[in-house]
Amino acid sequence: MKTRRSEPHSTVGAASIVLMAILWLLVSASTGQAATWQECSGNKIRWNSGWTNMFISTTSFPAGSAWDTRLQNAMWHWNNVKGAGFNFYVGRDTDGTHSSSNGVNEVYWSSTEVGSALAVTFSRYHCYWLFGYNYGLDEADIAFNSNLSWSTGSVTYSNLGSPYNFELVALHELGHALGLKHEDQWMATMNSYYPNSGPFGYYKDADANADDRAGIRSLYPDGTTETDVAGSAFKRTGTGTSGLVSSPAWAYRGTNVTIEFSFANLSTATQTFDIGFYLSTNDFISTSDTLLATNYGAWGSAGFAGTFSRTLYIPSWITPGTYYLGFLIDPSNVKAESNESNNNQPMPRTITIY
Ligand SMILES: [Zn+2]
């Protein structure tokens, strides 16, 4: 995970340093999914058991602290991806030390190992031929940069820089720890740059994006299915970069406005759904707000996340004042989703109507 700032010296920092073991055979990853992983002669390098323990340093992140809670939330989100059988388990590392060669996955603060990166995952794996290919992940340590400022709260739309959102970064680094590499072609949790395409919905849920879910499903496939479409206030802004969708800060009633909106199909299959667009007196968008328009039959394949624009008419009967524009996925609630709380998404700023 890197961060971009205006200072020319501060954009460096290895995001995922892979320590080679025994023999490394380069095979270019080329599949239908954009998500990528290390390969060993065409075999995906992963935790072959389908699970691993992450030992949280209690001197860095005391048990029960907000840091600990956010780390475990991020692990849970990966564990909870249906169509993938992978699990992180929580351990405690109480000795205040760590090593990248002890076979124990340690999670800790470091002021020296991460350069100017927000955090670094140090992964170690093996790939060698001995009457057949032997491969697998052996260790993944996560170091967070203790020289930076961090927040254990929710993402703040008005400030996407420092303090950095700890859970978003933890989610990204854990993606490396389970075997995913950077993905900069689409919106993704595994984007190289913070805020990694951001969280979902009104509750700003830091959850693995559509492409990342396709990635973990490809590494650790199981037969379970998931139906979930999520709204987002973020869009792709460049190679591995993301920022907020646009929407007007003001408008006259009786005129048109244009907003951008993003959704991600987190499901294991293609989904078709309606999207309602609303004007609300608060940032919680619901069917009791003023319906401005509906997109019928919106569509996304599994793994899709993208941004669209929509022109909306502000009725002339609206009382002048400050409002939120926003949208609601599946407003009639005809789709049974594994997460129904990421469907309502306000624009990341108010609109003043004159
Ligand atoms: Zn990274």
Side-chain angles (χ1 to χ4, degrees):
M1 163 99 48
K2 307 176 214 176
T3 177
R4 274 189 172 160
R5 286 174 254 156
S6 52
E7 299 87 351
H9 61 272
S10 62
T11 57
V12 298
S16 173
I17 294 174
V18 174
L19 306 172
M20 289 183 289
I22 305 179
L23 176 64
W24 161 230
L25 300 172
L26 180 65
V27 177
S28 68
S30 175
T31 70
Q33 299 297 346
T36 53
W37 39 77
Q38 300 288 346
E39 294 196 347
C40 177
S41 189
N43 301 298
K44 295 163 188 161
I45 295 180
R46 58 175 207 157
W47 296 99
N48 290 323
S49 58
W51 59 270
T52 196
N53 293 315
M54 300 304 294
F55 288 86
I56 300 172
S57 166
T58 55
T59 56
S60 290
F61 310 113
S65 66
W67 309 104
D68 180 43
T69 301
R70 293 296 183 173
L71 280 170
Q72 293 199 43
N73 275 351
M75 291 184 207
W76 177 86
H77 277 89
W78 285 114
N79 294 354
N80 190 50
V81 175
K82 308 301 187 298
F86 179 80
N87 277 297
F88 285 116
Y89 293 103
V90 177
R92 302 291 180 189
D93 178 21
T94 59
D95 64 9
T97 67
H98 55 266
S99 159
S100 60
S101 60
N102 60 1
V104 177
N105 304 330
E106 293 148 316
V107 186
Y108 54 92
W109 290 121
S110 175
S111 62
T112 56
E113 297 173 23
V114 291
S116 63
L118 299 185
V120 175
T121 299
F122 300 94
S123 294
R124 193 164 54 81
Y125 59 85
H126 62 277
C127 168
Y128 62 91
W129 190 91
L130 185 68
F131 308 108
Y133 281 99
N134 292 263
Y135 53 89
L137 278 166
D138 298 315
E139 185 170 348
D141 297 328
I142 302 176
F144 290 86
N145 191 334
S146 62
N147 297 323
L148 300 175
S149 295
W150 295 89
S151 164
T152 54
S154 295
V155 168
T156 307
Y157 293 140
S158 58
N159 176 17
L160 296 182
S162 174
Y164 301 100
N165 187 269
F166 186 70
E167 189 170 339
L168 266 187
V169 176
L171 189 72
H172 173 99
E173 298 304 329
L174 287 163
H176 285 313
L178 68 84
L180 295 175
K181 293 168 68 176
H182 283 156
E183 167 46 51
D184 290 341
Q185 203 178 339
W186 313 105
M187 294 179 72
T189 299
M190 297 315 294
N191 285 165
S192 294
Y193 295 98
Y194 184 86
N196 310 86
S197 294
F200 292 113
Y202 170 80
Y203 296 101
K204 298 175 179 172
D205 190 24
D207 200 355
N209 215 306
D211 185 79
D212 312 288
R213 296 172 110 80
I216 189 176
R217 285 167 184 151
S218 186
L219 281 175
Y220 305 94
D222 76 4
T224 56
T225 61
E226 181 164 37
T227 299
D228 188 24
V229 183
S232 168
F234 287 78
K235 65 177 178 182
R236 185 177 188 269
T237 58
T239 305
T241 61
S242 52
L244 296 172
V245 294
S246 68
S247 67
W250 64 273
Y252 293 113
R253 51 196 169 142
T255 65
N256 285 325
V257 296
T258 300
I259 66 167
E260 292 178 324
F261 68 100
S262 298
F263 64 78
N265 181 8
L266 307 184
S267 315
T268 46
T270 297
Q271 298 296 331
T272 304
F273 47 92
D274 298 338
I275 304 174
F277 297 88
Y278 297 86
L279 185 68
S280 173
T281 54
N282 57 44
D283 61 350
F284 188 83
I285 307 299
S286 73
T287 52
S288 57
D289 295 323
T290 301
L291 179 66
L292 299 179
T294 304
N295 281 5
Y296 295 100
W299 179 86
S301 55
F304 173 83
T307 304
F308 303 85
S309 64
R310 183 65 158 95
T311 297
L312 303 167
Y313 178 72
I314 308 293
S316 52
W317 57 261
I318 295 292
T319 304
T322 300
Y323 295 85
Y324 281 87
L325 289 163
F327 62 99
L328 184 52
I329 290 165
D330 189 27
S332 303
N333 205 19
V334 295
K335 196 173 281 294
E337 299 179 74
S338 56
N339 184 349
E340 296 283 6
S341 68
N342 58 15
N343 291 345
N344 57 331
Q345 179 65 61
M347 290 294 104
R349 62 188 70 79
T350 58
I351 180 170
T352 302
I353 293 175
Y354 297 100

